[in-house]
Amino acid sequence: MRYRTLGRTGLKVSEIGFGGIPIQRISLEEAGAVINKALDLGINFFDTARGYTDSEEKLGAVLRKRRDGVFIATKSMARTKEEMAADIKKSLETMGLDYIDLYQMHNVKDRESLHQVLGKDGALAALKEARENGLIRHIGVTGHIKSLLIELMKTGEVETVQFPFNPVETNDVREVLEMAGKTDTGVIVMKPLAGGAFKNATLSLRYILEHPVSVVIPGMDSLEQVEENAAVGSGPLQLSSEERIALEEEVARLGTTFCRRCEYCQPCPQGIDIPMVFLLDGYYQRYDLKGWARQRYERMKVKPDACLECGECEERCPYSLPIRRMLKEAHTRLG
Ligand code: SF4
Ligand code: SF4
C-alpha cells in the first residue's frame, strides 16, 4: 500500500481509505472481518459519521484493539458549540476511544450552515476546544458545494476537506484542489464510485488518484471489495490509453442525469425516500438485479405515485435532476 500525507495534519494515510457507510448493512461480526482485512492489507484511514447508525460502533470495536498507526475520522451534523461538544463525547464513547484523529463538520451545505459553524457559539468552537483538550487531533469539513469548501479552507480553520469526486463528478474539483494545495489542506475523496453507479471501481479509483488528493474512501462491506480496492493502492495508477477509453465509455453510458445519493432532496413532505427509489432503479437498470430491485421496491411504504409535484426536492438537488420525471420513470419500471 502506498501512503500520502494528509495535508498539514502530517498524517501518513493509505491512498485507499475505508468509507464507513456500507458496514451498516452487515452484522457486527461480518463488519469485524471486513475491517480486519482492510487493516491487514495496509488500509490505515477509516471514515465514519455520527449519522451512520451503528458504523462508529462497528469500527470502534475493531480499531480500538488495533489503534497503533491507524487514523479514525468521524463527523457530525451539529452546527452549534453545545451540540458538537456532545457529539464528540458520544463518538468517543461509542467507539471506545481516548481520542479521535480527525473530527469533521459534516455536510456544510449552505451559507446558513457555514455562518452557524463559524459563529461564536458554532460547532467549530467546540472542535477547537476538543483539540486543545486532546479529545480530537485534527479538524476537517465535508460537503458537496465546492465554493463553500473553498471559503472554509481560506479561513485556515480546517485541516482537511472531504467532497465527492469521480469520473462523472468533476465540477469545480480543480478549484478545490488548487485551494487545498495553497493552504496545505488534506484532501479526502468521497463517493469515488458515484454512489455505486460506477461499475469499474478500479478504474475510477485510479483516475481519482492520478490527481493531487490525499486519500480516497470507497465504502466496503465485503472481503472481495476490500481486496479489490486495496490492490489499487499498490498497483499502477496511470491509466493506459485503452483504460482511459473504457473509462470514457462508462462516463458516456452514465450521462449526468443520475442520482448521487447525497440526500439533499430529503425530506419529501409525502415521505418518499427519493434516493432509495433511484438506488433500486439503478440496480434494476445497470446491475441485472431486476427481480431483487422489484422486490425491495414492493416493500417501500411510500412510492413515487404519492408525489404531489410540489417541486421542493428539485430545488434542493445540487445536480438539478428532474426528480419528478425520474421518479415517474422509475415507478413505471419498478412498480
Ligand atoms: S415533488 Fe414529489 S417527490 Fe419531490 S418533494 Fe414534492 S412530493 Fe416529494
Ligand atoms: S435526487 Fe439529487 S438531491 Fe436527491 S439524493 Fe439524488 S442527487 Fe442528491
Side-chain angles (χ1 to χ4, degrees):
M1 177 67 68
R2 285 180 296 264
Y3 297 83
R4 297 185 182 187
T5 305
L6 185 63
R8 62 184 189 279
T9 70
L11 305 179
K12 301 284 180 210
V13 295
S14 46
E15 284 184 347
I16 300 295
F18 189 100
I21 293 180
I23 52 169
Q24 293 174 96
R25 292 196 285 259
I26 56 178
S27 70
L28 183 68
E29 199 185 15
E30 288 165 334
V34 168
I35 297 160
N36 272 309
K37 182 76 176 174
L39 286 163
D40 294 343
L41 294 177
I43 291 176
N44 72 353
F45 184 83
F46 294 79
D47 182 82
T48 179
R50 276 275 69 227
Y52 301 165
T53 63
D54 59 3
S55 172
E56 276 190 345
E57 188 189 331
K58 286 169 173 163
L59 280 169
V62 176
L63 299 179
R64 64 174 172 256
K65 295 183 200 140
R66 297 183 68 176
R67 191 72 177 94
D68 273 0
V70 166
F71 304 116
I72 304 171
T74 189
K75 44 189 153 353
S76 154
M77 294 284 288
R79 298 295 182 243
T80 66
K81 185 177 177 187
E82 203 183 338
E83 288 163 358
M84 183 56 95
D87 269 359
I88 294 168
K89 195 166 165 262
K90 230 176 268 171
S91 293
L92 286 164
E93 281 166 10
T94 309
M95 292 194 273
L97 302 173
D98 302 330
Y99 69 91
I100 291 163
D101 299 277
L102 173 66
Y103 213 102
Q104 302 155 104
M105 295 177 276
H106 193 172
N107 202 4
V108 173
K109 61 179 182 186
D110 50 31
R111 200 142 285 285
E112 198 191 332
S113 332
L114 181 77
H115 284 139
Q116 252 189 318
V117 297
L118 293 178
K120 188 172 134 308
D121 294 316
L124 180 66
L127 289 167
K128 288 167 90 167
E129 223 169 86
R131 186 173 56 189
E132 275 162 30
N133 294 332
L135 299 179
I136 66 170
R137 297 261 162 104
H138 302 284
I139 297 173
V141 65
T142 80
H144 289 245
I145 312 295
K146 315 267 189 339
S147 55
L148 293 176
L149 300 177
I150 289 174
E151 234 175 287
L152 261 161
M153 280 190 272
K154 280 186 189 165
T155 66
E157 300 281 15
V158 292
E159 299 161 84
T160 67
V161 65
Q162 179 178 152
F163 56 92
F165 171 33
N166 57 64
V168 281
E169 192 160 1
T170 56
N171 287 357
D172 303 328
V173 167
R174 191 171 54 83
E175 288 79 359
V176 178
L177 293 179
E178 269 173 20
M179 184 52 69
K182 272 187 206 155
T183 53
D184 198 14
T185 304
V187 175
I188 303 163
V189 175
M190 63 157 133
K191 301 208 166 54
L193 310 180
F198 225 85
K199 269 189 189 169
N200 195 328
T202 300
L203 281 192
S204 187
L205 295 174
R206 285 171 57 198
Y207 163 84
I208 295 163
L209 286 166
E210 282 182 339
H211 295 77
V213 307
S214 317
V215 52
V216 51
I217 51 167
M220 312 180 208
D221 61 3
S222 73
L223 299 177
E224 295 72 33
Q225 279 171 3
V226 176
E227 279 166 6
E228 187 187 351
N229 293 334
V232 174
S234 52
L237 282 189
Q238 191 75 34
L239 297 175
S240 68
S241 42
E242 291 80 25
E243 286 167 335
R244 216 167 284 281
I245 289 167
L247 191 81
E248 280 161 15
E249 279 171 3
E250 185 146 7
V251 169
R253 181 181 64 78
L254 276 171
T256 51
T257 315
F258 70 95
C259 173
R260 279 77 163 176
R261 289 161 59 194
C262 65
E263 305 215 342
Y264 286 161
C265 52
Q266 298 288 91
C268 154
Q270 286 295 93
I272 302 168
D273 186 342
I274 300 167
M276 179 54 78
V277 173
F278 294 150
L279 175 70
L280 295 177
D281 195 34
Y283 279 125
Y284 183 90
Q285 293 192 78
R286 295 190 286 270
Y287 284 88
D288 238 2
L289 289 167
K290 291 187 168 43
W292 181 87
R294 277 199 160 137
Q295 266 174 19
R296 287 284 302 270
Y297 186 74
E298 182 55 38
R299 291 208 292 269
M300 285 188 78
K301 285 201 179 79
V302 188
K303 300 205 171 51
D305 52 359
C307 174
L308 294 175
E309 303 266 345
C310 70
E312 281 180 29
C313 53
E314 291 182 13
E315 279 167 31
R316 292 196 291 257
C317 177
Y319 304 97
S320 307
L321 294 182
I323 296 177
R324 287 171 285 187
R325 174 167 66 75
M326 288 169 66
L327 284 175
K328 277 187 194 145
E329 290 168 2
H331 185 62
T332 308
R333 277 185 284 272
L334 296 163

